[in-house]
Amino acid sequence: MIKIRNGKVEDLEELFIIENNCFPPSEAASREAMKQRLEIINDSFFVALENNKLVGLVNGPVINVPFISDDLFDEIIENPKTGGYQSILGLAVDPSVQRRGIAGQLLRHLEQEAIKAGRDGLSLTCKEKLIPYYESFGYKNEGVSESVHGGVTWYNMVNYLK
């Protein structure tokens, strides 16, 4: 059974390993960026545990616009209490437990928290091959992103709540 809770700074090393097992170095969050997210936007940083072992994470700041910009990967500010768009900068599940619905549970949990906080929607960028996956969770493909993060082509995906 999967348990989801807010991430803690004490989780940093394990989360950093999961992140780096899921993304190439050019795309993975740095240790410092992840630490800042755990400290500053803890209210939108969630982790999945299975048998008390960290197996996944989802996180991102609340932004005023529906699309993610690259500056978010470096500069994190506190989330407003209500409104805005819940961005997703990181969604990662330990490869040893992938394809068991854990990422989906994390997405749904973040969506429920966004609804409680009166957010306008959730926003993320993904590679082309993942568009159908996110569409299955209600995200709409809004076209190619301006993001150049990691030197790859990203697509804007938004789950409008209002």
Side-chain angles (χ1 to χ4, degrees), residues 3 15 19 33 40 63 72 81 83 87 91 103 105 107 115 118 136 138 156 159 162:
K3 177 185 171 196
L15 295 175
E19 176 89 357
I40 299 171
I63 57 179
L72 296 174
K81 295 293 178 215
S87 74
L91 173 63
Q105 289 179 58
L107 283 173
I115 290 168
S136 75
N156 288 314
N159 181 353
K162 295 184 175 179

Side-chain angles (χ1 to χ4, degrees), residues 39-108:
E39 292 172 341
I40 299 171
I41 57 165
N42 177 266
D43 56 328
S44 59
F45 196 126
F46 296 98
V47 298
L49 297 103
E50 185 176 57
N51 300 321
N52 293 316
K53 179 184 184 304
L54 286 169
V55 294
L57 62 106
V58 65
N59 67 83
V62 175
I63 57 179
N64 294 325
V65 293
F67 302 142
I68 290 172
S69 55
D70 283 349
D71 61 319
L72 296 174
F73 292 100
D74 301 314
E75 189 179 323
I76 298 292
I77 60 170
E78 225 175 280
N79 290 328
K81 295 293 178 215
T82 61
Y85 289 84
Q86 174 62 62
S87 74
I88 299 174
L89 298 185
L91 173 63
V93 173
D94 187 299
S96 70
V97 294
Q98 286 179 358
R99 303 200 183 286
R100 293 190 12 219
I102 297 168
Q105 289 179 58
L106 285 162
L107 283 173
R108 289 285 184 231

Side-chain angles (χ1 to χ4, degrees), residues 28-45:
S30 69
R31 183 178 271 108
E32 184 55 36
M34 194 169 280
K35 183 174 188 263
Q36 282 184 342
R37 293 177 200 173
L38 285 163
E39 292 172 341
I40 299 171
I41 57 165
N42 177 266
D43 56 328
S44 59
F45 196 126

Side-chain angles (χ1 to χ4, degrees), residues 11-32:
D11 300 329
L12 178 61
E13 292 308 315
E14 286 176 86
L15 295 175
F16 187 68
I17 290 168
I18 293 170
E19 176 89 357
N20 281 275
N21 282 335
C22 294
F23 295 101
S26 61
E27 297 172 26
S30 69
R31 183 178 271 108
E32 184 55 36

